[in-house]
Amino acid sequence: MFKFLRRFLKEEPDEQALLREKFVHFRRLLDNNNLALATMADMEEKASGDFLFDTGYLDSQVQTLSSAVGEMIEALHHLTKDRYRQLDLVYNDVLQKLLATLKTGAIVPATPPILWLDQLSKELSASCGAKMANLGEIRNRLQLPTPQGFVITASAYQNFLTKSGLAAQIESILEEADLKDLRSVETISQQIRAMIREASLPTDLVAVLHEAAATFQDRPIAVRSSAVGEDTLFSFAGQFATLLNVPPSAIVDHYKEIVASKFTPQAIFYWKFQGFSLHELPMAVGCLTMVPARASGVMFSLNPQAPEQQSLIITAVWGLGTFAVDGSVSPDIFELKKAAGFPVLSKRLGQKKKALRPQPGGGLQEEDLSPAEASQPCLHEEQLQTLAEIACRLEEHFQGPQDIEWALAASGEIIILQSRPLRLSAPAFRGRRPEKPHVSVPPLLSQGVRAVGGVAAGPVFMLRRDEEIPHIPAGAVVVLRQPSSRLVQVMDRLAAILTEVGSPTDHMTILAREFQVPTLVDVKGVRQTLHTGQEVTVDADLAVIYPGICTELLSKPVGPAEPWRQDPVFVRLRSVLAHISPLHLLDPASPDFAPGACRTFHDLTRFCHEKAMDAMFQLDVEASAQAKGVSRFRSDLPINLFVLDLGGGLREPGKPLITEDDVTCPPFRALMQGFCHPDVRWAGQVAVDFKGFISVFANTLYDQNKADTTLGGKSFAIITDRYVNLNSRLGYHFGLVDAYVDEERNDNYITFQFKGGAASLERRERRAQLLALLLEDMGFKAQANSDLVRGRLVKYSREETIEILIQVGTLLAFSRQLDLALASDDVMHKIMAAFKAGDYGLRSLQEA
Amino acid sequence: MRARILAVDDEPNMLRLLKTILTSKTEHEVVTTNNPMEAAKLLKEEPFDLLITDLKMPILDGMDLIETVKQIDPNLPIIMITAYGTIETAEEAIQKGAYDYITKPFRQEAILITLKRALEWRQMQLELKSLKK
C-alpha cells in the first residue's frame, strides 16, 4: 500500500537540478574538447620532425586523446538525451583502427610463397623487403644487369612461423624467460635459433622451394635476408645473415638459417620487454645466382663527407665484396666528379693483399695475392665511367643518394647486387636557421602566434567568406579573420595562412600543420595592413611579415632531406595521425555533418562540440523558469526578465529581486550592458512615414504604465560564472543568445538567433538579412532563412568575446525597433550604416 | 672533435631515431644498444666520450647504470633521457653523477646542445686531469 502511494507521491523531477547537471556535462565536454585539440596539435607538432619521441609517447597521447573523445561523446549523450548514439559505433571503429595501427607492424600482404625477381618492383617491398624489391626495380624498370633468382616472401615466413607452431613456442619461451644478464639473453637466442633450424617447413613450401631451386641447375647461389623494414626499422636490423656460394639443393636449410639469424640477442630483448609481436620485421629471403666476381665493391652516388662537391665515391677489392664492406682489406678508392665524362678527382690504390673467391664445389676461399696483384687497380677508366653512370641513374631513379653494391663479372659486365638510400652525415647544426636573419626591408607586421613554423612568400588573398575558397590562387598567402577549417580544401596549394584571431590548437591549425603550411594566428591588424594581390613574405617562426619576396629568408639550407622522417616512430606517428587529424566535417549546415560521416577523432570532436553548443542553445528552460529560486531582474527597461543562476552567476543566489549589480556572470553583464545602451530607443516603435523617413511613434501602452507593463512575454536567462543562455521576448520577436566566455579561447562562443515580428514577411525577411550582415560584420558566421537569422562566433579571446557580446546586446535591443521600418533595401542599408556608425537611436535617419 | 657516443635505450625505435639524428647532424660516431646489460660490456671494451641513456629500462635501469659507469670511467659524462613526470628521479640521477637530463619528447636542438655542452665538459675534465699530472 505504501509502495503504491509512494509511486504517486514521488517528487516531480527537479528541473533546475537537471539543468545544472546538463551544465556539468557541457563543461566536461568543453574541457575534453580542449584536451583533444591540444593533444592533436601536439602530435602534429611532433610529426613536423623537430622532436625526438618514442612509442611510449605515441601510446600515451593516443590514450589521452581516445579518452578525451570518449568523454565528449558521453557528455553529448547526456546533453542530447542519446540523440547521437551512433557516435559510439563510429568512435569504436576509429579507435580499433587506431590501436591496430599503433600496435602492429606492417601488415604482410598475402602473396605466393615465392616471387621471381622478374616480377618485382619497389612497390612490393611489403612482401619482399626493400632490398629485393629494389633489386627487382633495378632489373625490370632500369634494365640494369642483376643476378637472377627469386624471393621467398614475408607471407611464406609468417606461414612457416605459425604453421610450425614456432611462433607460439617462441612466445612462451619469451614469456617465461628470466633475463637477468647478457648470458641468459644469449642462451635464449641460441635456443630459439636451434628450434628454427630443427623445425619443419610446411610441405607445400618445401615443394615450391625445391622446384624453384631446380632452375639454378646446381649452380651455387647466394641467399640473402631481405626483412621487411630492415632498412628503416629497428636499430638491430640489418645484421641478418647472408650465405654465399651455397648449393641450391640445400635451399630449405639455407632458408631456415637466414630466418634464424633474425633472433639476435638484441631482438630477443626487444620482444621480451616492448610487448611487440614476433611477426614484426617479417623476413623475406632472396635466393640469387652467385656472381663469381673478378672484383667487387661499394659506391656512394654522393660523397657523404663533402656532399656539396657533387662527386661520387667508388671503392673496389678483388674477388667478392665482403672484404670491401668489413674493412679487412684496404680497397681502391676513386672519387669522380658528377659531371659530363665523370673526370676522376682522386684515386687511392689500396694494398689488396687477399681476395675472397667462391670455390667451384661451394664455399669461399681466402686467396693471398702477390704484391703486384695487390697494388694493381681493380677497375680501369672505362669501368669507372660505367659505374658512375649507373650510380647517377640509380640516384635519379630512387630520388636520392644511393649506397650501391656491385660486382664485376668474369665477362667484364657490371652487375648490381643492391642499392639502398645513402645516409649522409652532416656537420652539427647545419641547416639551422640563424636566430635573427638579416632582412633589408622593415617588416609590415611583427605580430601573431606561431601555429605552424616555416617561411613562405606569395600574393595576399583576403578571404572574406568561405564561399571564396575555391577562388584562392595557388601559392597565395591567405588572410582571414578567424581560422576556418574549410580551408583544408585548398591547403595543399597555399603558401601561408594568416588569421586575425585564433589559437594554435584549433581545427584549422591542426590541418595546416598536417600540410606544413606556415601559419600565424592572432595577427592583430593583419586585415587592415595587407590587401589582395600584395606580395609578402611570412616568417612564421619569428612571427614577422615582410613586404615583397625576401629571397634571403626563402633560400633553403643545403643538405640532404631529413632522413629521420623515414624512421619507424615517425612513420608510425603519421599512420596514427591518419586516423586522427583529417577533418571531413567542414560545414555544420551540410547534411553530411552527421555521426556517420565522422572518420577521425578530429571529426568526432568537431561534431560533438558543434552539437553541444546546439544543445545548450536549445535548452528547454520553460519548466525551470516556473520553478523556485528564480530571481526577477529589475531595470528601467520595459522587460520582464527572470534569471536562474546555476552556480557563480550571482553575487547572492536566491534573492527574489536582483539588479545589474547583483550579477557576476561576465557574459550576461556584457549582454545587459549592450542591451541597456542609452541610445537605444525604448519609448516607442520605429516606422517609416510616407516620405520614407524614419520616425518614432509613441507607444502609449508603455508610457501609461512603465513599471508593470512589458513589450512582450517573459524573458529568461540561465547563467553561471561564465555562461549565459538568454531567451528574450520583446514584442513579437524571439531572440536567443547562448554564450560561453572563459580564459581558454577554444571554449568561447556566442550563438545568436532572432525570429518573428509583427510586420509583413517581406520586412521581417529584410530584417533577418540586415541582422545577418551586421553579425557577419562582427565576425559571426551568419545565415538568414526567411525571417529567421542564426549566427555563431567561436574561439575569440575572452576580451574580444565580451566586447562582441556588448554589441550583440545592443543589436538585440536595436532590432526590435526595426519591426516596421524596413520598407525597402535602401532603408535597410541606411539602418545598417547607422548601426555601424554607433547611431543606435537612428538620429541620422530621422527627419530634422 | 669527433666523439664516440654510446646510446642505451630499451626501445629500439627511440634508439634508432637518436642515432639517425645524431649522425646526420653531427660528425660523432654513435654506437647503440637496446640492452642495458650490454652497455657496461661495451664501455669496458671500447673508449667512449659520452653516454646517453634512458632512465627507465628493464633489469638494469639508468640509475644502476650510472654506478656501473662511474666505476669504469668516472669522467664519462652521462645524459639521462627521462619521460615526462619523472623529473624527481632525473634530479636524483644528477645527484648520483649524471651530467644532465633531458625530458622526452624533446626538440632535436635540445639534445644537440646538451650533447655539445657535455662533450666540452668532458674535454675540460681531461685537460684538468693532464694538468694535475
Side-chain angles (χ1 to χ4, degrees):
Chain A
M1 181 68 183
F2 277 124
K3 261 187 189 169
F4 177 77
L5 270 180
R6 211 177 293 152
R7 197 179 300 162
F8 281 93
L9 294 171
K10 200 174 150 194
E11 277 182 41
E12 284 290 305
D14 182 344
E15 292 294 338
Q16 291 182 13
L18 289 179
L19 260 188
R20 267 192 196 97
E21 201 181 307
K22 278 205 165 163
F23 191 76
V24 168
H25 290 301
F26 182 54
R27 181 65 247 175
R28 170 158 79 124
L29 188 139
L30 290 181
D31 286 345
N32 282 291
N33 182 49
N34 288 324
L35 182 59
L37 290 175
T39 310
M40 281 187 246
D42 187 73
M43 293 175 83
E44 282 291 348
E45 188 182 34
K46 298 299 173 287
S48 71
D50 289 343
F51 285 82
L52 273 89
F53 53 91
D54 53 12
T55 38
Y57 165 81
L58 286 185
D59 288 343
S60 81
Q61 293 299 79
V62 167
Q63 172 77 40
T64 308
L65 186 60
S66 49
S67 126
V69 177
E71 288 271 319
M72 285 181 81
I73 294 173
E74 269 307 301
L76 188 67
H77 289 334
H78 283 283
L79 288 173
T80 59
K81 294 185 181 150
D82 291 336
R83 182 163 170 205
Y84 302 110
R85 269 287 162 199
Q86 199 194 342
L87 286 174
D88 294 342
L89 292 174
V90 179
Y91 171 76
N92 275 325
D93 187 41
V94 177
L95 185 62
Q96 288 316 315
K97 282 182 187 150
L98 198 54
L99 293 179
T101 316
L102 202 60
K103 284 298 166 202
T104 60
I107 292 164
V108 174
T111 61
I114 69 163
L115 290 171
W116 291 90
L117 198 60
D118 294 338
Q119 301 171 279
L120 300 190
S121 61
K122 64 179 177 194
E123 291 79 17
L124 285 168
S125 62
S127 306
C128 308
K131 199 189 276 179
M132 290 301 290
N134 282 357
L135 196 62
E137 182 84 7
I138 293 165
R139 181 181 180 82
N140 304 318
R141 295 221 169 114
L142 288 171
Q143 313 277 324
L144 289 170
T146 68
Q148 293 173 33
F150 58 88
V151 58
I152 310 169
T153 58
S155 163
Y157 164 82
Q158 270 205 330
N159 276 337
F160 168 41
L161 237 58
T162 320
K163 287 189 182 161
S164 63
L166 273 171
Q169 284 176 43
I170 295 171
E171 265 157 22
S172 87
I173 289 178
L174 284 177
E175 201 161 303
E176 285 161 26
D178 177 20
L179 305 182
K180 51 192 182 302
D181 52 35
L182 271 185
R183 207 180 304 156
S184 56
V185 184
E186 182 64 39
T187 311
I188 299 271
S189 162
Q190 295 293 354
Q191 190 188 346
I192 292 175
R193 289 182 198 215
M195 278 166 53
I196 291 170
R197 287 186 196 105
E198 283 156 23
S200 303
L201 294 189
T203 46
D204 48 348
L205 179 58
V206 173
V208 170
L209 288 185
H210 281 306
E211 194 186 329
T215 61
F216 292 117
Q217 297 174 335
D218 285 334
R219 277 176 311 201
I221 56 171
V223 188
R224 291 166 171 256
S225 70
S226 179
V228 177
E230 185 170 315
D231 266 1
T232 50
L233 248 53
F234 316 103
S235 54
F236 49 80
Q239 305 163 6
F240 305 133
T242 294
L243 302 174
L244 295 175
N245 207 44
V246 291
S249 54
I251 189 160
V252 169
D253 290 335
H254 305 324
Y255 175 62
K256 288 195 285 189
E257 192 58 42
I258 304 282
V259 170
S261 78
K262 182 183 162 185
F263 293 83
T264 60
Q266 293 101 313
I268 298 296
F269 201 81
Y270 174 71
W271 284 312
K272 169 80 183 166
F273 294 108
Q274 294 294 333
F276 278 97
S277 145
L278 281 177
H279 295 288
E280 269 189 282
L281 212 65
M283 180 68 85
V285 176
C287 304
L288 302 167
T289 49
M290 188 69 203
V291 181
R294 194 176 347 143
S296 322
V298 174
M299 58 180 166
F300 298 147
S301 71
L302 189 65
N303 180 356
Q305 305 299 327
E308 65 282 358
Q309 283 181 13
Q310 287 298 309
S311 61
L312 57 91
I313 300 284
I314 300 172
T315 68
V317 296
W318 294 116
L320 300 182
T322 315
F323 290 163
V325 181
D326 68 10
S328 54
V329 156
S330 108
D332 294 342
I333 303 174
F334 305 92
E335 184 179 7
L336 278 70
K337 183 81 185 161
K338 285 169 88 173
F342 298 105
V344 177
L345 295 176
S346 71
K347 172 162 55 170
R348 202 201 74 192
L349 299 183
Q351 284 296 310
K352 307 161 291 288
K353 288 176 184 162
K354 52 183 182 172
L356 192 68
R357 299 207 195 271
Q359 296 305 294
L364 305 173
Q365 178 78 46
E366 236 182 82
E367 212 177 275
D368 290 326
L369 301 179
S370 71
E373 276 177 305
S375 55
Q376 202 188 343
C378 298
L379 297 166
H380 57 65
E381 187 80 12
E382 200 182 314
Q383 288 161 337
L384 287 172
Q385 298 285 322
T386 313
L387 279 168
E389 271 168 34
I390 291 175
C392 289
R393 277 187 68 189
L394 290 173
E395 179 175 293
E396 193 191 341
H397 186 77
F398 290 109
Q399 297 182 338
Q402 296 290 299
D403 169 349
I404 303 148
E405 282 181 34
W406 57 269
L408 179 66
S411 62
E413 189 180 34
I414 284 165
I415 293 170
I416 302 304
L417 304 176
Q418 184 179 334
S419 183
R420 60 183 175 190
L422 173 68
R423 292 192 179 244
L424 294 174
S425 64
F429 300 99
R430 198 223 330 237
R432 213 169 142 236
R433 48 179 296 120
E435 286 305 314
K436 280 187 182 162
H438 178 74
V439 181
S440 47
V441 290
L444 287 168
L445 281 167
S446 297
Q447 276 280 355
V449 176
R450 169 194 146 138
V452 184
V455 181
V460 169
F461 184 90
M462 300 294 274
L463 182 71
R464 289 192 176 78
R465 313 171 64 93
D466 283 349
E467 291 71 36
E468 294 167 357
I469 288 175
H471 308 305
I472 300 175
V477 173
V478 175
V479 178
L480 64 166
R481 179 155 178 159
Q482 74 174 126
S484 164
S485 49
R486 288 214 218 171
L487 264 186
V488 71
Q489 300 161 15
V490 293
M491 225 165 238
D492 56 337
R493 54 188 165 97
L494 299 185
I497 303 171
L498 305 168
T499 74
E500 197 159 62
V501 298
S503 89
T505 59
D506 63 32
H507 299 288
M508 185 201 78
T509 48
I510 288 172
L511 299 169
R513 215 164 276 130
E514 196 188 332
F515 283 87
Q516 292 290 299
V517 181
T519 301
L520 286 173
V521 294
D522 213 13
V523 191
K524 298 261 180 339
V526 67
R527 292 192 313 151
Q528 282 75 48
T529 314
L530 305 185
H531 56 83
T532 293
Q534 178 185 14
E535 282 190 329
V536 294
T537 301
V538 177
D539 181 347
D541 293 319
L542 300 180
V544 186
I545 300 158
Y546 296 98
I549 309 292
C550 302
T551 43
E552 56 268 57
L553 276 176
L554 291 165
S555 54
K556 283 184 187 158
V558 286
E562 297 167 330
W564 50 87
R565 288 188 186 281
Q566 299 311 315
D567 259 89
V569 269
F570 272 103
V571 173
R572 193 160 289 179
L573 173 59
R574 280 198 296 272
S575 45
V576 162
L577 279 172
H579 299 292
I580 293 176
S581 319
L583 187 63
H584 308 94
L585 268 61
L586 299 174
D587 179 8
S590 152
D592 293 334
F593 200 93
C598 293
R599 278 145 63 188
T600 62
F601 274 179
H602 201 171
D603 289 332
L604 286 166
T605 52
R606 175 97 164 88
F607 183 83
C608 290
H609 185 236
E610 193 70 30
K611 292 302 170 192
M613 287 192 289
D614 288 350
M616 292 308 280
F617 183 68
Q618 291 153 5
L619 279 182
D620 182 10
V621 295
E622 286 296 328
S624 298
Q626 310 298 332
K628 59 183 189 288
V630 174
S631 314
R632 181 160 187 179
F633 187 87
R634 199 176 68 181
S635 83
D636 292 340
L637 301 181
I639 48 169
N640 204 359
L641 175 59
F642 294 85
V643 178
L644 171 64
D645 178 20
L646 294 180
L650 293 177
R651 228 173 277 284
E652 201 182 321
K655 271 168 71 174
L657 203 60
I658 55 167
T659 66
E660 201 188 331
D661 292 340
D662 292 304
V663 178
T664 51
C665 165
F668 185 47
R669 284 184 69 92
L671 262 182
M672 293 319 289
Q673 184 188 330
F675 201 76
C676 303
H677 195 286
D679 288 357
V680 176
R681 285 175 176 270
W682 285 89
Q685 278 183 318
V686 182
V688 181
D689 64 18
F690 60 90
K691 287 184 203 157
F693 289 105
I694 303 281
S695 53
V696 180
F697 300 109
N699 182 319
T700 45
L701 183 66
Y702 174 58
D703 285 340
Q704 277 166 4
N705 196 343
K706 187 178 164 187
D708 276 8
T709 315
T710 64
L711 295 176
K714 213 175 195 182
S715 294
F716 198 80
I718 309 276
I719 59 172
T720 76
D721 55 346
R722 58 198 109 172
Y723 168 76
V724 63
N725 178 293
L726 172 72
N727 274 274
S728 87
R729 280 148 206 207
L730 298 166
Y732 298 97
H733 318 131
F734 300 92
L736 181 47
V737 180
D738 190 74
Y740 192 96
V741 183
D742 202 355
E743 291 305 329
E744 174 56 61
R745 185 192 280 267
N746 279 335
D747 290 351
N748 297 344
Y749 71 85
I750 308 171
T751 310
F752 180 97
Q753 181 177 300
F754 202 91
K755 187 176 166 44
S760 68
L761 182 63
E762 186 199 342
R763 293 185 186 204
R764 281 184 279 137
E765 283 181 351
R766 204 168 276 132
R767 182 188 47 196
Q769 280 171 35
L770 169 66
L771 285 175
L773 290 170
L774 287 172
L775 286 170
E776 275 179 2
D777 194 56
M778 291 180 200
F780 279 78
K781 292 216 185 320
Q783 220 177 6
N785 192 348
S786 185
D787 70 338
L788 169 75
V789 58
R790 288 168 194 261
R792 183 167 282 169
L793 174 138
V794 288
K795 298 182 183 185
Y796 278 56
S797 73
R798 179 194 161 87
E799 292 67 32
E800 289 158 345
T801 312
I802 290 282
E803 207 49 50
I804 296 167
L805 268 173
I806 297 174
Q807 288 183 51
V808 168
T810 309
L811 187 64
L812 206 56
F814 176 81
S815 46
R816 57 150 273 286
Q817 296 180 302
L818 307 174
D819 197 3
L820 301 165
L822 293 164
S824 69
D825 286 349
D826 183 46
V827 175
M828 181 182 92
H829 288 295
K830 280 181 180 158
I831 291 180
M832 186 161 78
F835 185 86
K836 281 189 188 177
D839 175 16
Y840 307 131
L842 297 178
R843 290 189 181 85
S844 59
L845 278 80
Q846 285 172 42
E847 198 175 9
Chain B
M1 184 188 81
R2 187 177 150 89
R4 294 191 78 234
I5 298 166
L6 177 63
V8 188
D9 194 320
D10 60 316
E11 203 202 290
N13 283 330
M14 183 70 181
L15 210 51
R16 173 80 182 206
L17 192 54
L18 194 62
K19 181 171 178 167
T20 313
I21 283 166
L22 293 185
T23 49
S24 66
K25 291 213 161 189
T26 74
E27 294 171 316
H28 307 313
E29 183 188 341
V30 182
V31 177
T32 62
T33 175
N34 68 322
N35 183 344
M37 292 183 288
E38 203 180 37
K41 179 172 159 269
L42 287 166
L43 287 170
K44 278 179 199 157
E45 284 172 1
E46 308 162 41
F48 283 96
D49 301 298
L50 177 75
L51 172 69
I52 302 177
T53 175
D54 192 15
L55 181 61
K56 203 172 167 312
M57 295 183 292
I59 304 179
L60 185 74
D61 72 8
M63 210 67 92
D64 303 326
L65 200 55
I66 297 177
E67 286 177 17
T68 316
V69 170
K70 287 289 158 193
Q71 285 165 15
I72 301 169
D73 179 356
N75 288 324
L76 187 75
I78 303 169
I79 299 173
M80 306 292 291
I81 297 177
T82 70
Y84 176 75
T86 52
I87 307 283
E88 291 83 3
T89 333
E91 278 159 3
E92 196 188 328
I94 304 278
Q95 297 284 333
K96 282 203 170 183
Y99 174 78
D100 204 349
Y101 68 87
I102 185 161
T103 311
K104 62 183 172 186
F106 46 84
R107 280 191 182 274
Q108 290 182 19
E109 274 73 23
I111 187 72
L112 294 174
I113 290 163
T114 312
L115 184 136
K116 192 163 169 272
R117 282 197 295 112
L119 288 172
E120 282 165 6
W121 179 85
R122 161 86 164 172
Q123 194 63 34
M124 265 163 41
Q125 293 296 312
L126 293 177
E127 280 168 18
L128 204 65
K129 209 172 159 187
S130 68
L131 282 175
K132 279 182 182 168
K133 271 182 189 168

